Amino acid sequence: MQNTATPTHCPYCALQCGMNLTPAPDGTVEVSERADFPVNRGALCGKGRTAPAVLASGVRLTSPLVRSGGELVPASWDEALDRIAAGLRRTRAEHGPDAVGVFGGGGLTNEKAYTLGKFARVVLGTSQIDYNGRFCMSSAAAAGIKAFGLDRGLPFPLEDIPKTGCVILVGSNLAETMPPSLRFFNELRENGGTLIVIDPRRTKTAEQADLHLAPRPGTDLALALGLLHLVIAEGRVDAEYVQERTVGWEDARAAAMAHWPEYVERITGVSVPELRETVRLFCEPESAMVLTARGPEQQSKGTDTVGAWINLCLATGRAGRPLSGYGCLTGQGNGQGGREHGQKADQLPGYRKLDDPAARRHVAEVWGVDPESLPGPGRSAYELLDALGTDIKSLLLMASNPVVSAPRAAHIEERIRSLDFLAVCDVVLSETAALADVVLPVTQWAEETGTTTNLEGRVLLRRRAITPPEGIRSDLEVLHELAARLGVEKGFPTDPEEVFEELRRASAGGPADYSGITYRRLVEEDGVFWPCPGGAEAVEQPAAGDTTAMAHPGTPRLFLDRFATPDGRARFVPVSHRAAAEEPDDEYPVLLTTGRVVAQYQSGAQTRRVAELNAAAPGPFVELHPRLAARLGAAEGDPVAVVSRRGRAVAPARITNAIRPDTVFMPFHWPGEGRANTLTNPALDPTSRMPEFKACAVRLEAVRP
């Protein structure tokens, strides 16, 4: 085992913070600062500092498991792989290829995501593939494509944030979800800029803001329209910009004018003076940004909601200009790259559309198959999970834990249990893996090399720092072995760099063009922003010592000259407010919203196995206002039942003035009786197919001894 530090990146959120890993003599791995990486400049949150804890043999899976007599028992790799191949083959033979589903994860590297999508379509021939990134930023992606012709989380680097004049941060508690990023916003304020935070709760992020707006959950669309109404009424529209760089303004203007301030105040609970002050703070500086996260996006109208915030940016000339723009704070580690390269139900590598004949021809040529053999678009994530056990009989799942993370989770757990066959690849025995027929233990971030794409669109190289334990294989090796067992001997290499070279060719000419990026460049430049077109001069690097002489530099800042639409102009999309899919009523009079806490991550499958993180956040809770607690007769720490039309969850009360009296909050990291997603509503956005995690009607019940 090497004893020198390896520069690499954190396995958790989309910041992909830089860190150094050094194997210690006792077999553990030490994390140290990597101050040269510009995203975090050495800073790490508790999850990043403790990430190596999951590498320990007592925590992670170390042997394949197969179900025997109702129990999961250790097995050899050959037995486990043979069982998976037989299960998938049997389902295809009896029910057809679309009876086999594939479900991926936003934590998979680009190489794995690419290979998983290729495996589904080439080896299995199924259209039924999607991934948990659908639950992350799909609404922002859909709105960005409508408006700009291209979706990339941030169209500028994080380093631009401190230099702008104002940031409106909508539905993001980055002080807990991405702590190292908070310094950019602190620097913004130190430089004289203004931070406006929009969140139903007074979070740790909201406490840092110059202005905090606390709308009712599910009303962000009305809020954005009300702000645009005031921009128009107060004469703050950048008419020259609108004329020169956009289309569709008149229809968007008419829609916004129907949302006058007093009407918006009644819907949102945000006062008219607060609306006016927001417009003033946003419009007076020369530059400004709007950044959204899961709050406005995880709604059944999430695409329209993000579209309304984009319209605000366009009307004020705040897009495609230096230090201005709309951006999305991606959540998962490779949520961006994961959908760009083939895990998503309707997409091919390079962010190409699966129903585009030219895209199919290009990718099919790279894969060496007939374009007609590629299946069409399949079901979105929730729809795929909902079809388990009925239309979909077998499922191959990688790096996801839908038993905890999916909306209406008790129903999804039932659907998973009803499958004829379930195979899971994971690093730990998650709640979903515990239901599988076969579980394969796979390598982790520190034990393998591969690329990820962070929230800025910066492609990064995670480097292998340690040797995995004997008997652990990579996801690429798993897919190679399964492909061979299912009759495809070639086309599924196990070397990540070889996979990336093919990904470059497959992405060439697409919206997310990686063809000019190489592992060598990623090492020497510490990341490259896509799009980065290649061609012969970039694919064949110049002589040693001059690796970038003829290569495209990458694109840190998008849209400065033109938008990615056919005519180069951004599109206003007219939208109007509509209620959440499920509003409070006499039976369910309170709104539930969900989110994260700083010490846990996503479904908690990994972080709940780290002692330090569990000590900081040992379990679920229900955050409620003192007035609501008084009506319920609940004191701090008392068990409270939260009941929706989909189920019941119980957790201790956490009483605080930091939340609206008509709203309760639950974090979603835990299984069991405190599982927040037992309650959440799977109502889907009609465009993005994003479920409405952020607003559903509930009632509270005191739990008596």
Side-chain angles (χ1 to χ4, degrees):
M1 179 182 292
Q2 66 184 67
N3 292 311
T4 57
T6 299
T8 189
H9 297 274
C10 178
Y12 289 116
C13 81
L15 288 179
Q16 289 295 280
C17 291
M19 58 170 60
N20 290 315
L21 295 183
T22 306
D26 62 359
T28 61
V29 180
E30 296 177 354
V31 174
S32 59
E33 290 187 0
R34 186 178 159 199
D36 61 328
F37 187 61
V39 171
N40 62 310
R41 293 180 252 167
L44 293 169
C45 73
K47 295 186 290 293
R49 286 187 296 98
T50 62
V54 187
L55 298 166
S57 60
V59 176
R60 55 104 51 82
L61 292 167
T62 56
S63 169
L65 303 173
V66 300
R67 194 162 295 279
S68 177
E71 301 291 330
L72 287 172
V73 299
S76 69
W77 271 95
D78 279 341
E79 180 184 358
L81 290 166
D82 286 345
R83 282 206 190 189
I84 296 174
L88 300 179
R89 187 185 299 111
R90 181 171 57 251
T91 296
R92 290 178 65 208
E94 294 177 0
H95 304 285
D98 274 356
V100 178
V102 176
F103 200 84
L108 294 176
T109 62
N110 289 317
E111 292 81 0
K112 294 178 183 180
Y114 171 85
T115 304
L116 186 62
K118 181 180 179 181
F119 178 86
R121 294 174 174 115
V122 172
V123 178
L124 298 177
T126 182
S127 66
Q128 301 304 304
I129 175 173
D130 211 80
Y131 83 128
N132 63 17
R134 174 79 67 172
F135 301 157
C136 179
M137 59 175 288
S138 58
S139 293
I145 291 170
K146 284 185 177 183
F148 306 132
L150 184 70
D151 154 49
R152 195 180 82 185
L154 295 181
F156 41 72
L158 284 164
E159 66 187 40
D160 285 2
I161 290 173
K163 304 169 189 175
T164 194
C166 177
V167 172
I168 299 179
L169 187 62
V170 190
S172 172
N173 182 17
L174 54 83
E176 296 200 63
T177 59
M178 298 179 174
S181 70
L182 191 62
R183 67 172 55 190
F184 294 102
F185 297 87
N186 291 337
E187 290 171 10
L188 163 74
R189 300 183 68 214
E190 291 167 3
N191 292 340
T194 302
L195 176 61
I196 301 169
V197 171
I198 298 173
D199 198 300
R201 306 163 61 222
R202 187 163 181 79
T203 63
K204 292 181 180 179
T205 306
E207 290 173 355
Q208 309 298 315
D210 298 283
L211 178 63
H212 171 219
L213 309 181
R216 291 177 70 246
T219 64
D220 308 87
L221 174 52
L223 180 59
L225 287 162
L227 295 176
L228 181 53
H229 178 109
L230 285 171
V231 165
I232 298 165
E234 295 178 3
R236 297 181 185 271
V237 174
D238 188 333
E240 182 179 353
Y241 173 94
V242 168
Q243 182 176 0
E244 292 180 355
R245 299 205 61 187
T246 73
V247 297
W249 166 237
E250 288 304 321
D251 288 342
R253 180 186 185 281
M257 292 309 291
H259 297 77
W260 60 95
E262 293 77 11
Y263 172 59
V264 169
E265 180 182 70
R266 290 199 302 272
I267 294 171
T268 65
V270 177
S271 70
V272 173
E274 288 176 312
L275 296 173
R276 293 189 184 278
E277 180 66 358
T278 301
V279 168
R280 184 187 71 81
L281 293 173
F282 184 68
C283 291
E284 286 188 352
E286 183 178 345
S287 58
M289 301 173 178
V290 172
L291 305 178
T292 67
R294 305 302 79 74
E297 298 162 19
Q298 287 181 326
Q299 298 185 28
S300 59
K301 53 182 182 295
T303 302
D304 284 356
T305 301
V306 173
W309 289 105
I310 291 175
N311 286 349
L312 179 66
C313 289
L314 294 175
T316 53
R318 310 299 205 183
R321 283 179 167 171
L323 307 180
S324 288
Y326 163 77
C328 168
L329 298 170
T330 312
Q332 295 192 74
N334 197 32
Q336 182 75 48
R339 71 180 179 282
E340 291 168 4
H341 298 302
Q343 282 190 100
K344 207 172 173 190
D346 58 349
Q347 287 178 191
L348 287 168
Y351 224 145
R352 289 181 160 90
K353 300 297 289 183
L354 190 54
D355 56 4
D356 176 359
R360 294 169 67 86
R361 286 194 300 272
H362 173 86
V363 174
E365 182 177 358
V366 173
W367 288 351
V369 300
D370 183 347
E372 296 300 318
S373 71
L374 297 178
R379 293 175 172 88
S380 70
Y382 180 79
E383 292 164 305
L384 188 157
L385 294 171
D386 189 40
L388 299 180
T390 53
D391 293 340
I392 299 174
K393 304 294 185 180
S394 292
L395 181 69
L396 173 63
L397 185 145
M398 285 186 167
S400 187
N401 189 18
V403 165
V404 178
S405 63
R408 197 185 173 196
H411 169 73
I412 295 305
E413 181 177 346
E414 290 176 1
R415 294 290 86 226
I416 290 172
R417 290 180 181 275
S418 72
L419 283 164
D420 291 349
F421 183 79
L422 171 64
V424 173
C425 300
D426 211 330
V427 299
V428 296
L429 191 66
S430 71
E431 287 71 24
T432 306
L435 304 179
D437 296 283
V438 180
V439 182
L440 299 181
V442 290
T443 50
Q444 298 189 52
W445 59 289
E447 301 164 345
E448 59 187 12
T449 294
T451 62
T452 62
T453 306
N454 80 346
L455 79 171
E456 308 165 296
R458 189 193 304 251
V459 184
L460 304 165
L461 185 65
R462 279 194 202 154
R463 281 170 270 196
R464 174 170 162 162
I466 60 172
T467 302
E470 186 177 354
I472 304 296
R473 299 186 185 180
S474 74
D475 294 288
L476 293 180
E477 290 174 311
V478 168
L479 293 172
H480 171 85
E481 292 288 344
L482 289 177
R485 283 168 168 78
L486 293 169
V488 181
E489 299 285 346
K490 296 181 179 179
F492 290 86
T494 60
D495 176 62
E497 187 168 8
E498 186 177 347
V499 175
F500 190 78
E501 289 299 305
E502 183 177 302
L503 182 158
R504 292 173 62 204
R505 297 194 302 275
S507 74
D513 191 335
Y514 283 30
S515 60
I517 304 174
T518 64
Y519 272 29
R520 186 173 177 178
R521 284 191 66 180
L522 294 178
V523 170
E524 296 181 355
E525 300 174 39
D526 220 352
V528 178
F529 291 85
W530 71 262
C532 183
E537 72 278 10
V539 174
E540 298 297 330
Q541 291 287 354
D546 189 19
T547 58
T548 62
M550 298 173 64
H552 189 284
T555 314
R557 295 169 181 86
L558 295 169
F559 312 138
L560 295 181
D561 299 318
R562 68 190 314 274
F563 294 97
T565 56
D567 61 5
R569 293 170 175 260
R571 269 70 172 138
F572 280 98
V573 178
V575 294
S576 295
H577 170 71
R578 60 184 185 273
E582 188 177 75
E583 289 285 339
D585 56 22
D586 291 343
E587 188 177 2
Y588 300 96
V590 177
L591 279 167
L592 167 70
T593 192
T594 64
R596 287 169 48 188
V597 297
V598 66
Q600 301 289 354
Y601 181 72
Q602 304 300 74
S603 75
Q606 296 182 51
T607 51
R608 285 187 274 110
R609 288 167 166 81
V610 179
E612 180 180 330
L613 300 178
N614 272 338
F621 57 87
V622 181
E623 186 177 277
L624 67 164
H625 191 274
R627 295 211 300 266
L628 192 53
R631 290 202 299 270
L632 188 65
E636 180 75 17
D638 285 353
V640 171
V642 185
V643 184
S644 78
R645 290 178 173 85
R646 289 153 295 281
R648 183 175 190 265
V650 179
R654 183 173 294 183
I655 302 171
T656 174
N657 286 303
I659 193 166
R660 293 174 54 97
D662 58 3
T663 301
V664 295
F665 167 83
M666 289 188 72
F668 54 67
H669 309 290
W670 288 274
E673 71 170 4
R675 180 173 59 186
N677 279 319
T678 296
L679 309 167
T680 48
N681 190 354
L684 301 180
D685 180 288
T687 302
S688 68
R689 315 309 288 169
M690 168 75 85
E692 190 150 66
F693 287 99
K694 290 301 183 186
C696 72
V698 298
R699 67 171 182 265
L700 304 185
E701 298 174 352
V703 178
R704 307 302 179 192

